[in-house]
Amino acid sequence: MNERPLLFAANWKMNVAPGEARTFLDRFLSLDKPRVGRTVAFFPPAVSLETTAARLRGHEHYLAGAQDVYWEAKGAYTGATSVALARGAGASAALIGHSERRHIFGETDAETNRKVRAVLDGGLMAMLCVGEKLAERERDETEIVVTRQLRAGLDGVAAGADIVIAYEPVWAIGTGRNATPSDAALVHAAIRRVLVQLGFDRDTRVLYGGSVNAGNVAQLIAEPEIDGVLVGGASLDPDGWAGICGVVGQG
Ligand code: PGA
C-alpha cells in the first residue's frame, strides 16, 4: 500500500440533482467510516454543488469540488462557472481537462492551463486529468500524449501548488475496459517523472480513472504508484461507492 494519502473521487458527471445528492450522501455517510490517510471527494454537477458541499461540511475527510470552471473571474459568459462561484457554493477543488471536456467540448491544452491556473489562484485544489485515446495507445504514444498534456496543463504553475493528477485512459472511461494495474502503474511512474522534472514534489498524488469498480479497486490501489481513483459510473450508487471507498483499511 501507499505512503501518500489516498484520494477516492466520485465524478458524477451529468447526473445527481440536488435532492438526489442529499439522499445519496445521507446513505453514504451512514455506511462509510472516515479513515485517516484517505479523503473522499465528490464532484457533482454545478447545480448540486452547494447541496453536496453543505452536507459534507464539518466532515474532515470529505470534500466537494466542481467538474469544470471557466478562467474568467466574472461577466458575460453564459453557462459558465467561475472559480469564485464554485468556491462560494462550497467547492474546495475542481476537475480540469477531463477527457469529456477535451473530446466532447473541444477543450485544448492551452485552455486546461488557463483553468488550472485560475483554480489555483482562487485557492482551490486542481485535479488535472490526462490520458490517451485508443488510437494513440495503439501507436504507442501514451507517454508522449500524457507528457504533452502535463507540460501544457501545468505551464507556469508553481511547484508546490495544490495539484492532483488523474490518469484516465480515454478508451477505459465508461467502457468496462480498464488498464491492468501494472499497465496503469507504468504510466503513473512516467507521469511522476514528468512531475519531478517540472519541479513538483514526489508526493504529488496521481490517481487512476477509467471503469474502476468494486471488483478492481483493491488491485489498483495496491500499486504503490496509484494514489487513489477517479470514478464515474460506479460512484452513482451510495452503497457501491461506500464499498469502493471502504477498500482502504481492509486487511
Ligand atoms: P468511469 O468514468 O468510471 O465511468 O469509467 C471515470 C471518469 O470519467 O472519471
Side-chain angles (χ1 to χ4, degrees):
M1 183 81 69
N2 214 294
E3 308 279 291
R4 292 172 284 270
L6 293 167
L7 181 52
F8 283 66
N11 176 9
W12 285 346
K13 308 192 179 184
M14 203 167 69
N15 303 288
V16 192
E20 294 168 330
R22 207 172 296 118
T23 311
F24 181 110
L25 291 170
D26 286 346
R27 175 74 183 159
F28 174 82
L29 293 171
S30 76
L31 296 171
D32 188 61
K33 199 162 91 264
R35 291 173 171 84
V36 175
R38 184 212 62 179
T39 297
V40 180
F42 293 86
F43 292 90
V47 292
S48 301
L49 186 51
E50 186 169 19
T51 307
T52 302
R55 188 66 187 83
L56 298 173
R57 199 158 292 135
H59 292 274
E60 194 192 336
H61 300 290
Y62 305 106
L63 65 88
Q67 292 177 10
D68 181 43
V69 292
Y70 191 54
W71 55 78
E72 293 291 351
K74 57 158 64 179
Y77 302 102
T78 302
T81 304
S82 68
V83 176
L85 288 174
R87 192 182 168 137
S92 51
L95 289 181
I96 298 297
H98 186 277
S99 75
E100 286 146 21
R101 297 301 317 168
R102 293 177 190 266
H103 302 304
I104 299 175
F105 297 99
E107 195 167 298
T108 64
D109 282 332
E111 288 168 339
T112 65
N113 179 244
R114 293 185 79 169
K115 291 181 176 187
V116 167
R117 289 198 285 175
V119 167
L120 296 168
D121 287 348
L124 306 189
M125 177 181 92
M127 190 184 292
L128 175 65
C129 306
V130 299
E132 81 288 3
K133 294 194 273 195
L134 183 58
E136 292 164 336
R137 168 159 285 242
E138 284 169 347
R139 290 197 300 268
D140 226 359
E141 291 173 3
T142 298
E143 214 172 306
I144 297 169
V145 170
V146 164
T147 301
R148 188 200 74 226
Q149 291 172 334
L150 285 171
R151 287 188 171 275
L154 297 174
D155 189 34
V157 172
D162 194 6
I163 59 157
V164 172
I165 305 301
Y167 169 57
E168 300 202 302
V170 179
W171 48 270
I173 295 178
T175 58
R177 247 183 101 178
N178 64 344
T180 63
S182 54
D183 274 351
L186 282 177
V187 182
H188 280 228
I191 289 173
R192 208 171 294 289
R193 280 197 297 278
V194 176
L195 290 173
V196 169
Q197 281 163 14
L198 294 175
F200 288 92
D201 205 282
R202 285 213 156 265
D203 285 346
T204 305
R205 284 174 293 179
V206 183
L207 313 188
Y208 173 78
S211 296
V212 174
N213 58 39
N216 57 29
V217 65
Q219 269 180 302
L220 286 162
I221 63 159
E223 289 287 341
E225 286 293 341
I226 298 180
D227 306 319
V229 286
L230 177 57
V231 183
S235 73
L236 291 173
D237 166 66
D239 293 55
W241 179 233
I244 290 174
C245 297
V247 79
V248 179
Q250 285 174 5

